[in-house]
Amino acid sequence: MEDGVGGTSGRDWAQPDLHLDLARALDRACFDFVLMEDSSFVPDSFGGSMDYYLERAMRASKNDPMPLVPLMAQATKHLGIVPTISTSFYPPFLLARLMATLDLMTGGRVGCNFVTSTAARAAQNYGYDDHIEHDSRYAMADEFVEVCLKLWASWDADAIVMDRDRDRFVDPSKVRPIAHKGRFFTSRGPMNTAQPPQGHPVLVQAGSSPQGRQFGAHHMDVVIAAYSGVDQMREFCADLRRRLVQFGRDPRSCKIMFVTSPTLGETNAEARERYERKQIAANASPELVLARMAGLTDIDFSQYDIDAPLADFKTNGQQGTLKQFLAQGSTLREVARNYRYGLDHLHGTADSVAGQMAEIMEEVGGDGFILTGTLTRRYIAEIADGLTPALQDRGVVRTAYEHAQFRDNLMAF
Ligand SMILES: Cc1cc2nc3c(=O)[nH]c(=O)nc-3n(C[C@H](O)[C@H](O)[C@H](O)COP(=O)(O)O)c2cc1C
């Protein structure tokens, strides 16, 4: 679950309590995982100033998700916990060791959402003049994951022998350097901690450009996509499964999940009213959508006539997202009004929405949904205690976890 526009924005935003309530609720509801989105910059791409974003708490203030991982793990028993990291800014050794430690400490319950980061401002926070070019970022991300996988495998699973008789804690024959020298990274290895219990953490990513899809198909256990139409979702599934086969992988070895943010009500009429109210609010402020998109693409949409035909926009940021955005109309006002983030139009009673979700997933051939939305306790309760039991009644989600570790649960259902 990620923050929507406006962030969590409560008085206690810096405290972990809301996130811990979320984790407990999702664990009780037997979710696969909770994903914590992240970025590391304050945008100023809309109107050339940070004001618009800061005043609305868009992307800042935002804390690093990593410290929440052990806290959430302590509050839960089975839920997978997936922080986001940037392959453009983390050194692979640092990330591999951090995730191995977390996987060891949680008994195999962590994953990692790999993003390449999209903003020049983020790159400048890490010492670059500008951001690395989009396709090179994905080449870099691919090698980043390759180095991490080598590091996680640099200790055999049975390297720690704790053999008192032979006075040996680790069997040295089961630990070796990786000696990686590539195009972007060099790392000698081995890691200085044991192999993570899952072999490696669950690997997740959400890039939707051709390069993003290729990266996903090469390495990932989970790929997430945000499409607002069933045809696009079906095309994405077929394309990704084709790419998996090209990498010699079982097309079912990677779970494909789609973004949705349903609106629930006690009755269908109440849900429709809530949904329509959200639509009216969104249509009344197209600049909110344009500012959000400016933060993802580094394009200052405030400089363009909102009612003129669309210019030939190009981005070094989120290319897949920009492409979908611009396909929604012929002026900025139209695309802002028509823009949908994933399947955000589903509404009705819990039972009705559960039925729609089951039907769509059957039709597109995917593996599940990732639920997003502004994080509030009301939304958590609606999803975990309202929608989930309705999905369980239909037999389309689990009613109990079968395994101790995250990947085993993920692949079992
Ligand atoms: C559900 C979801 C979560 C995402 N989380 C993040 C995130 O936390 N940080 C980030 O920089 N990008 C995030 N992204 C953006 C993707 O990593 C990617 O940049 C985007 O989908 C555009 O694809 P492309 O980079 O292949 O053009 C997310 C995308 C989706 C659909």
Side-chain angles (χ1 to χ4, degrees), residues 37-38 84 115 134 138 206-209 224 259 318-321 341:
E37 60 93 40
D38 196 34
T84 294
V115 301
H134 180 272
Y138 274 113
S208 58
S209 61
I224 302 167
V259 170
Q318 293 197 12
Q319 295 187 350
T321 311
Y341 180 56

Side-chain angles (χ1 to χ4, degrees), residues 302-351:
S302 76
Q303 294 191 349
Y304 296 85
D305 180 348
I306 195 167
D307 294 309
L310 290 174
D312 184 20
F313 295 111
K314 296 263 184 297
T315 183
N316 188 35
Q318 293 197 12
Q319 295 187 350
T321 311
L322 180 69
K323 189 172 164 212
Q324 283 185 60
F325 179 60
L326 297 178
Q328 310 288 320
S330 53
T331 65
L332 283 176
R333 191 184 302 280
E334 264 177 42
V335 295
R337 189 179 54 226
N338 297 336
Y339 181 62
R340 302 281 169 265
Y341 180 56
L343 279 188
D344 63 359
H345 67 279
L346 304 185
H347 58 274
T349 60
D351 185 53

Side-chain angles (χ1 to χ4, degrees), residues 38-45 50 59 62 85-90 115-132 137 294-298 316-318:
D38 196 34
S39 55
S40 51
F41 69 106
V42 179
D44 61 357
S45 39
M50 298 188 293
R59 295 191 152 224
K62 175 193 284 296
I85 69 96
S86 173
T87 53
S88 300
F89 309 134
Y90 256 82
V115 301
T116 61
S117 295
T118 47
R121 291 291 184 236
Q124 287 158 6
N125 287 339
Y126 290 94
Y128 296 92
D129 292 332
D130 209 341
H131 202 2
I132 306 153
R137 288 202 303 269
L296 303 178
T297 57
D298 281 348
N316 188 35
Q318 293 197 12

Side-chain angles (χ1 to χ4, degrees), residues 2-18:
E2 61 174 337
D3 294 352
V5 171
T8 55
S9 71
R11 274 179 217 286
D12 60 352
W13 68 272
Q15 300 302 313
D17 307 59
L18 179 63

